[in-house]
């Protein structure tokens, strides 16, 4: 059966669908709370007006609606194993409590809610990604929420990170099963965000997730990882110029007198020492070039072979551990966005 409906609202709460059906909608807000699907059901938005043998049907009574876009309001309590959604607006759809959500099929232009955009004179900024309406509701209830998060309707059951993490995980799997890895990345980000904010999880796990988020956006924000890499390389560069490279004026030699003549021979090499305390003696072009070689080599786990002071040796060791990790996170983030 194919059902075509143009209406302001279509309430299908607790309905039972006992055969294969296709639901074609226009203008409507649709509520499928606790509906039962025994066979495959597809719900799609129609772009063109419905028509019969006399031509297009009149939609004058639907004037004032946001448009022909169909807005799904709730799939709470639905078994989504047989459900196909196409070209729907899911920005306000409630997904918590949906069964077999990882088997749902999303086709066409299914729009999810997004994070608030940057406001003028505001210090915070959110990276754009797809989110669930329930995350908007949860963030709007937090102390001092950022403007732009949508508040929940009065009748909506409150949910938190512990309930939202499995929902994000299921939607991520649904996108991955359809070979849509780039869009699945947004739901992986949401899952990790809910895990990071879940107060029931161990503090050590949340601290590790916070560091992962800050350094690379859970391996999905290449620009963030690249900025940290540049900052680490710059810090190492100045550390080498100020304290890491020894003074270059010393040459190892020893002096001896043989047959009445003075002879200079190489001597044992002493520990490297820093140059004078003046900055102009440390921040020179020659020391910059040597420091740059040390830093670049440290990014790829190579030793520069340069004589270093004790401080410079430890600085190089630290950079050889941290900078390749940041480089790997940046590559991983790019790969996550272009993977097919």
């Amino acid at each position: 059966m194919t059902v075509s409906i143009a209406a302001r609202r279509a309430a299908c709460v607790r309905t039972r669908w006992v055969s294969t059906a296709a639901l074609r909608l226009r203008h409507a807000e649709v509520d499928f709370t606790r509906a039962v699907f025994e066979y495959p059901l597809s719900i799609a938005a129609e772009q063109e007006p419905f028509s019969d043998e006399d031509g297009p049907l009149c939609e004058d009574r639907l004037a004032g609606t946001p448009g022909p876009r169909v807005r799904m309001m709730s799939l709470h309590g639905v078994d989504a194993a047989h459900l196909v959604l196409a070209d729907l607006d899911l920005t306000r759809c409630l997904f918590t409590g949906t069964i077999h959500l990882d088997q749902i099929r999303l086709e066409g232009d299914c729009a999810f809610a997004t994070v608030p955009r940057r406001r003028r004179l505001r210090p915070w900024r959110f990276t754009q990604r797809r989110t669930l309406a329930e995350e908007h509701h949860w963030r709007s209830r937090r102390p001092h929420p950022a403007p732009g998060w949508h508040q929940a309707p009065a009748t909506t059951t409150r949910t938190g990170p512990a309930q939202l993490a499995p929902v994000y995980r299921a939607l991520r799997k649904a996108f991955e099963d359809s070979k849509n890895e780039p869009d699945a990345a947004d739901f992986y980000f949401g899952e990790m965000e809910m895990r990071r904010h879940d107060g029931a999880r161990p503090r050590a796990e949340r601290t590790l997730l916070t560091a992962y988020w800050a350094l690379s956006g859970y391996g999905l924000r290449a620009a963030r990882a690249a900025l940290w890499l540049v900052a680490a390389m710059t810090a190492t560069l100045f550390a080498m110029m100020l304290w890491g490279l020894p003074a270059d004026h010393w040459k190892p030699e020893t002096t001896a007198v043989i047959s009445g003549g003075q002879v200079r021979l190489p001597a044992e090499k002493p520990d490297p020492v820093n140059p004078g305390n003046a900055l102009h003696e440390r921040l020179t072009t020659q020391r910059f070039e040597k420091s740059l070689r040390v830093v670049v080599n440290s990014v790829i786990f190579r030793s520069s072979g340069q004589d270093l002071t004790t401080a410079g040796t430890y600085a190089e060791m630290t950079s050889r551990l941290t900078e390749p990790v940041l480089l790997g996170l940046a590559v991983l983030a790019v790969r996550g966005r272009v993977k097919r």
Side-chain angles (χ1 to χ4, degrees), residues 28-304:
E29 291 185 354
V30 190
D31 189 351
F32 271 89
T33 301
R34 300 192 183 279
V36 178
F37 309 130
E38 298 183 9
Y39 290 87
L41 172 70
S42 65
I43 307 172
E46 288 289 339
Q47 300 301 320
E48 300 297 330
F50 299 122
S51 60
D52 57 13
E53 60 274 7
D54 297 328
L57 299 179
C58 179
E59 296 182 348
D60 292 343
R61 294 185 178 182
L62 300 176
T65 60
R69 187 80 166 170
V70 177
R71 297 163 295 283
M72 181 67 70
M73 305 306 295
S74 176
L75 290 174
H76 177 73
V78 168
D79 188 340
H82 300 299
L83 186 59
V84 180
L85 305 181
D87 301 319
L88 300 185
D89 184 349
L90 304 175
T91 56
R92 291 188 288 171
C93 183
L94 304 179
F95 285 98
T96 52
T98 306
I99 305 169
H100 295 143
L101 187 57
D102 60 324
Q103 299 179 33
I104 194 173
R105 288 182 56 188
L106 302 176
E107 299 179 351
D109 181 18
C110 287
F112 286 83
T114 58
V115 299
R117 294 188 177 273
R118 187 175 184 178
R119 303 296 181 90
R120 291 183 178 180
L121 304 179
R122 299 288 185 178
W124 52 76
R125 177 181 180 274
F126 298 99
T127 304
Q128 288 299 304
R129 62 179 174 91
R130 296 181 175 186
T131 62
L132 298 178
E134 290 96 331
E135 182 179 349
H136 274 257
H137 303 164
W138 168 71
R139 289 187 181 274
S140 67
R141 297 192 305 266
R142 302 187 69 194
H144 311 293
W149 296 107
H150 303 152
Q151 295 184 355
T155 58
T156 303
T157 303
R158 290 195 173 190
T159 56
Q163 293 78 33
L164 293 179
V167 179
Y168 273 113
R169 188 180 307 117
L171 286 173
R172 172 176 62 87
K173 185 177 183 300
F175 276 90
E176 290 175 345
D177 291 344
S178 62
K179 308 301 180 182
N180 190 351
E181 296 283 351
D183 287 340
D186 284 346
F187 296 97
Y188 172 73
F189 194 102
E191 176 191 352
M192 300 297 283
E193 278 287 276
M194 295 303 101
R195 290 176 56 189
R196 181 168 70 93
H197 290 288
D198 187 0
R201 293 185 177 273
R203 182 180 296 272
E205 178 183 349
R206 288 186 283 120
T207 301
L208 181 62
L209 290 174
T210 301
Y212 193 23
W213 163 78
L215 291 176
S216 65
Y218 309 114
L220 296 174
R221 302 294 183 256
R224 190 178 305 181
L227 287 176
W228 277 109
L229 176 60
V230 171
M233 293 177 65
T234 303
T236 306
L237 177 67
F238 280 99
M240 289 296 172
M241 294 179 66
L242 292 172
W243 306 289
L245 294 179
D248 293 332
H249 65 272
W250 181 87
K251 295 181 179 180
E253 63 180 14
T254 188
T255 303
V257 177
I258 300 177
S259 301
Q262 190 177 37
V263 178
R264 297 180 179 274
L265 299 174
E268 182 180 354
K269 181 179 178 181
D271 293 333
V273 295
N274 277 316
N277 292 328
L279 287 179
H280 71 272
E281 297 181 12
R282 300 190 179 199
L283 301 178
T284 63
T285 303
Q286 183 180 12
R287 290 175 64 82
F288 175 84
E289 189 272 335
K290 289 184 178 180
S291 300
L292 184 61
R293 278 193 316 223
V294 174
V295 173
V296 173
N297 284 328
S298 67
V299 176
I300 53 177
F301 285 110
R302 289 183 54 192
S303 175
S304 63

